[in-house]
Amino acid sequence: MKDDRQVEALLRELAPQVIGLLVRKHGQFDACEDAVQEALLSAAQQWPEQGIPDSPKSWLATVATRRLVDEWRSESARRRREENDALMAPAPATVSDSDDTLTVLFLCCHPSLSPPSQLALTLRAVGGLTTGEIANAFLVPESTLAQRISRAKQTIKKAGAEFVLPPAGELAERLRVVLQVLYLIFNEGYTTSGGPDLHRADLTAEAIRLTRLLRRLMPDEDEVTGLLALMLLTDARRAARAGADGSLVPLAEQDRSRWNAEMIAEGVSLVSEALEAGPVGPYQVQAAIAAVHDEAPTADDTDWSQILALYDVLEKVSPGPVVTLNRAVAVAEVNGPEAGLELLATLDDDSRMSQTHRLDSVRGHLLELAGDTGSAREAYLRAAGKTASEPEKQYLTRRAERLI
């Protein structure tokens, strides 16, 4: 089992490196990515029994190249090569000194792709997950996920994307997309959008791994550090978020002795480092809010005034309905539930909130604090009817039943 985990970790690390190597040498991201996936599957089958090769990256590159050659020997593949320009200009690369992980990551988060396609392609090409693993994580058929990945690669090809990092003028915006994709992967793992499980630890772990990798590749980007801190400070509570039966346990009721002190310490250190370095970004502020929660010995010790002040900053640097929603909770804790409900009412006509259960869930909580149990119960039931997550649905239903 230990050998299997060692092989899995190594393959995930090498996957984007080998893709980058082949694309630089041969061009055609789509074909190279397919070839590397087959090489990864072969390695996953052979290495646990035969041992990891002395040069695992070279082994993967050799196997993937053979797969490319076999494909290109067919007449139809030869015609396609003659009829179409290569996706990216081929350039020489050596196995020993080429690590194009960052370039692969930015390519997978190309702005021409939809967010679901960015997620899927990132997890496969950079995360090294199989199509089946990704499909299982997002509760979609494997065939659907395979089509999504195939369309994503064709979209990149049609967009004429080159296998290079974005120019300096575009880097900040492209990095924002990359961070958003990693954050979406983490959020889907921390609170699954549907199905029987409250969380998917494999997805949160992968999001944290990829963000650590991104920080290693871009150590001077404070928002990368802020996002990593936010993930660690949030995931540190995961063990206490679910009861023995898998039911959701809200933050105020969690057993804080079960929180991961090591992750909290690292997260606090990272966010402190990022905040001291320069201009403040939204991930840094969210990480600071998470740190205030994590450093409180009990729920009653939470410094809500500081949290509200941080939400005021967040609303300035990154305004949006989700920020307003969370800020309403802080306002209620500091100024009373009526004040929180008044702020919450500003979201009633926001179309971005109409399909989510979050607005009704928070409204139910604040109405309950205000003593309006009848309206709170109705809000909880509306929220329960809007979520596809079974643990969240059960939690909201129980909250409503307590108010009968």
Side-chain angles (χ1 to χ4, degrees):
M1 182 66 70
K2 182 178 179 181
D3 289 342
D4 289 349
R5 288 196 298 267
Q6 182 182 5
V7 167
E8 180 181 358
L10 181 59
L11 291 178
R12 289 189 177 187
E13 177 184 350
L14 292 178
Q17 298 180 33
V18 179
I19 290 172
L21 175 70
L22 264 65
V23 172
R24 284 200 179 278
K25 188 174 183 180
H26 303 291
Q28 302 185 26
F29 172 78
D30 52 345
C32 291
E33 199 276 334
D34 284 339
V36 172
Q37 284 296 319
E38 293 201 13
L40 292 172
L41 289 174
S42 297
Q45 295 169 353
Q46 297 179 35
W47 291 4
E49 294 183 1
Q50 301 175 8
I52 298 174
D54 292 336
S55 180
K57 186 174 177 180
S58 296
W59 190 100
L60 290 170
T62 299
V63 173
T65 299
R66 287 173 182 165
R67 163 68 174 77
L68 282 174
V69 171
D70 289 343
E71 171 66 16
W72 289 343
R73 279 175 177 163
S74 70
E75 186 62 31
S76 60
R78 188 176 300 111
R79 277 201 307 270
R80 287 196 300 272
R81 288 202 313 280
E82 292 170 352
E83 293 169 356
N84 297 289
D85 292 334
L87 172 60
M88 304 140 193
T94 60
V95 171
S96 59
D97 62 8
S98 178
D99 182 353
D100 293 308
T101 297
L102 186 61
T103 307
V104 174
L105 179 56
F106 272 82
L107 188 64
C108 292
C109 298
H110 194 275
S112 65
L113 299 177
S114 66
S117 295
Q118 292 171 339
L119 290 173
L121 198 55
T122 298
L123 285 172
R124 190 167 118 144
V126 187
L129 275 67
T130 66
T131 303
E133 288 172 329
I134 304 168
N136 184 54
F138 289 96
L139 302 176
V140 297
E142 185 171 350
S143 58
T144 300
L145 203 286
Q147 291 173 358
R148 183 177 298 169
I149 291 174
S150 178
R151 286 196 300 268
K153 291 190 290 187
Q154 290 304 310
T155 298
I156 289 175
K157 185 174 183 177
K158 290 177 181 178
E162 296 181 354
F163 194 68
V164 294
L165 286 174
E170 298 178 12
L171 189 60
E173 178 60 23
R174 290 285 295 276
L175 178 60
R176 184 192 65 79
V177 175
V178 169
L179 293 177
Q180 183 180 36
V181 168
L182 295 177
Y183 192 35
L184 287 172
I185 293 171
F186 178 84
N187 283 340
E188 180 61 29
Y190 194 69
T191 302
T192 55
S193 57
D197 299 319
L198 178 61
H199 51 244
R200 288 288 307 262
D202 53 342
L203 281 183
T204 55
E206 185 60 18
I208 290 172
R209 185 187 76 84
L210 292 176
T211 307
R212 285 191 189 280
L213 173 62
L214 182 59
R215 182 170 182 264
R216 178 173 65 81
L217 297 170
M218 305 183 76
D220 296 329
E221 291 290 342
D222 296 327
E223 271 292 79
V224 178
T225 301
L227 178 57
L228 178 57
L230 175 59
M231 289 180 178
L232 293 171
L233 291 164
T234 303
D235 200 47
R237 311 176 200 138
R238 176 161 44 86
R241 286 186 71 235
D245 59 353
S247 59
L248 187 153
V249 180
L251 181 63
E253 300 173 19
Q254 289 175 14
D255 177 1
R256 299 186 177 215
S257 67
R258 299 184 65 197
W259 288 2
N260 189 315
E262 184 177 338
M263 292 178 75
I264 291 173
E266 182 183 2
V268 169
S269 176
L270 286 171
V271 70
S272 299
E273 171 190 330
L275 290 172
E276 292 172 359
V280 174
Y283 292 115
Q284 297 168 61
V285 181
Q286 291 179 73
I289 293 169
V292 175
H293 280 297
D294 286 10
E295 291 185 310
T298 69
D300 291 338
D301 293 320
T302 303
D303 189 345
W304 282 105
S305 295
Q306 184 179 358
I307 289 175
L308 179 55
L310 287 167
Y311 271 118
D312 290 341
V313 174
L314 184 59
E315 197 163 48
K316 291 178 181 178
V317 299
S318 183
V322 175
V323 174
T324 302
L325 183 73
N326 291 323
R327 183 170 173 268
V329 176
V331 167
E333 291 287 348
V334 175
N335 300 320
E338 290 80 5
L341 286 165
E342 183 178 350
L343 178 58
L344 210 61
T346 65
L347 297 175
D348 287 344
D349 296 327
D350 194 317
S351 60
R352 293 169 292 181
M353 301 300 292
S354 61
Q355 301 301 318
T356 177
H357 68 287
R358 304 292 182 194
L359 182 57
D360 282 320
S361 176
V362 172
R363 178 174 281 116
H365 172 62
L366 298 189
L367 286 168
E368 185 178 358
L369 290 178
D372 188 348
T373 56
S375 297
R377 181 174 183 274
E378 293 176 2
Y380 282 137
L381 290 175
R382 285 197 303 272
K386 291 180 179 179
T387 179
S389 166
E390 287 302 323
E392 286 191 316
K393 186 186 296 289
Q394 293 168 8
Y395 167 75
L396 291 164
T397 301
R398 285 196 299 268
R399 298 285 298 195
E401 291 173 346
R402 292 194 319 182
L403 301 177
I404 295 176

